[in-house]
Amino acid sequence: MSASPIDSDLLVLAQSFRTTLRHAVYLSRSMDGDGELTTMQMSTLSMAAEEPLRVSRIAANLGIRVPSATEQIIKLEQAGLVSRTPDPTDSRAVLVQLTEMGRSAWEDAGRLRNERVAALLAHLDDDDRATLAAALPVIGKLSRTA
Amino acid sequence: MSASPIDSDLLVLAQSFRTTLRHAVYLSRSMDGDGELTTMQMSTLSMAAEEPLRVSRIAANLGIRVPSATEQIIKLEQAGLVSRTPDPTDSRAVLVQLTEMGRSAWEDAGRLRNERVAALLAHLDDDDRATLAAALPVIGKLSRTA
DNA sequence: GCTCATAGTTAGGTAGCCTAACAGTTCGGC
DNA sequence: GCCGAACTGTTAGGCTACCTAACTATGAGC
């Protein structure tokens, strides 16, 4: 509680947020080890599921460079999960969209993950679940701020 | 609310937890891009800061295999941040501990990250911060369950 | 039509993870 | 005591995902 009253409390919260986040990252990693699609692939498919996307936007959303995104997308294409077509409004650009197969693979994988997470959540009591549910939008807000 | 009352609600919560977590992962990644120590290195130093640790425990805590941990630890050793000494009670084992330099590097980096996160948290209002603070232990519990 | 910016791909390199194989240490059974 | 099984780390070799730099092709301004 010296010069800047917010600092001390915020730093304490920041510290425990960082620690928690670190563990959550390990948790999330542990959930994609067993199967078919990696977390990054899931993210890519999730984006493309909504609407056809440009490579550059996918890269930006994933926080990686365009060439890295191209690489991953080509793999997804080879796996038959997405298609790449030139953007009709700008032939420099490429639109990535889900194939029929990609959509069902994405849905299946999402269902599987949800079930796995739900199984974890089942260990919490109602209060904890309510607390968690309330905080998710706040964390989302934070991520968007950054 | 059919056969299994928990399922539906849990799955919904699971879905939004997964999405939030994904964004949080990107957030956390964006916070270690600019500097000296990676998140993994920070984690390793954090563990060693409390007490000397065996390689196998570090690997387990990081969720990686022992050889991968060895590799990272050797790099930290070469950077002068940790020392490796044989465990006096079991000469097969190796104890990893922070050097003077490692401790101050760890403290500096932690401080920097805390400040960066605190700056994000400053954008939230008091209610949101309270909500977040309440949820952190719950997420911690989940990570431990897994 | 020339120039400059933009969208992706290709090429080459690095870091971090993995499994498999190895070396040294401990411990239990005989 | 001593031999084999179990355990702790390290070494070796390979894979994947990321990066930067350089290139191709298209679009936009003058």
Side-chain angles (χ1 to χ4, degrees):
Chain A
M1 312 272 186
S2 58
S4 183
I6 51 166
D7 272 9
S8 166
D9 288 350
L10 278 184
L11 287 175
V12 170
L13 182 56
Q15 170 73 52
S16 76
F17 181 63
R18 286 206 303 120
T19 304
T20 303
L21 195 53
R22 193 173 76 222
H23 290 132
V25 168
Y26 298 152
L27 173 62
S28 110
R29 174 178 310 173
S30 77
M31 285 190 300
D32 67 31
D34 56 348
E36 324 75 39
L37 295 170
T38 67
T39 298
M40 285 304 238
Q41 290 176 327
M42 280 298 288
S43 301
T44 305
L45 296 182
S46 299
M47 287 183 260
E50 290 167 21
E51 51 169 355
L53 277 182
R54 293 183 168 200
V55 173
S56 51
R57 285 210 44 207
I58 292 175
N61 288 341
L62 291 178
I64 61 179
R65 304 292 172 183
V66 171
S68 308
T70 295
E71 190 175 321
Q72 297 307 316
I73 291 165
I74 287 177
K75 282 190 186 161
L76 287 173
E77 187 184 36
Q78 287 168 346
L81 302 181
V82 304
S83 64
R84 288 192 300 164
T85 54
D87 185 335
T89 74
D90 181 346
S91 343
R92 291 172 303 177
V94 168
L95 291 180
V96 176
Q97 52 193 319
L98 288 193
T99 60
E100 189 86 12
M101 196 173 133
R103 184 166 298 274
S104 69
W106 169 65
E107 284 166 356
D108 289 350
R111 206 166 11 244
L112 194 65
R113 276 155 193 256
N114 283 345
E115 283 166 9
R116 226 172 296 153
V117 174
L120 280 184
L121 294 173
H123 291 126
L124 299 177
D125 60 36
D126 287 345
D127 280 354
D128 280 352
R129 271 197 292 273
T131 303
L132 179 61
L136 294 182
V138 177
I139 298 176
K141 212 181 288 183
L142 271 183
S143 306
R144 246 167 284 124
T145 306
Chain B
M1 314 274 184
S2 57
S4 183
I6 51 166
D7 272 9
S8 165
D9 288 349
L10 279 183
L11 287 175
V12 170
L13 183 55
Q15 169 73 53
S16 77
F17 182 63
R18 286 208 302 121
T19 304
T20 303
L21 196 53
R22 193 172 75 223
H23 291 132
V25 168
Y26 298 152
L27 173 63
S28 109
R29 173 178 308 173
S30 76
M31 286 189 300
D32 68 30
D34 55 347
E36 323 75 39
L37 295 170
T38 66
T39 298
M40 285 303 238
Q41 290 176 327
M42 280 298 288
S43 302
T44 304
L45 295 182
S46 299
M47 287 183 261
E50 291 168 20
E51 51 169 355
L53 277 183
R54 294 184 167 198
V55 173
S56 51
R57 287 211 42 210
I58 292 175
N61 288 341
L62 292 177
I64 61 179
R65 302 293 171 182
V66 171
S68 308
T70 295
E71 191 175 320
Q72 297 307 316
I73 291 165
I74 288 177
K75 282 189 187 165
L76 288 173
E77 188 184 34
Q78 287 169 347
L81 303 180
V82 303
S83 64
R84 288 191 300 164
T85 53
D87 185 336
T89 74
D90 181 346
S91 344
R92 290 173 304 180
V94 168
L95 292 179
V96 177
Q97 52 193 320
L98 289 192
T99 61
E100 190 85 12
M101 196 173 132
R103 184 166 297 275
S104 67
W106 169 66
E107 284 167 356
D108 289 349
R111 205 166 11 246
L112 194 66
R113 276 155 192 255
N114 283 345
E115 283 166 8
R116 225 172 297 154
V117 174
L120 280 184
L121 295 173
H123 290 126
L124 298 177
D125 60 37
D126 286 345
D127 280 354
D128 279 352
R129 271 197 292 272
T131 304
L132 180 61
L136 294 182
V138 177
I139 298 176
K141 213 182 287 184
L142 270 182
S143 307
R144 247 166 285 124
T145 308

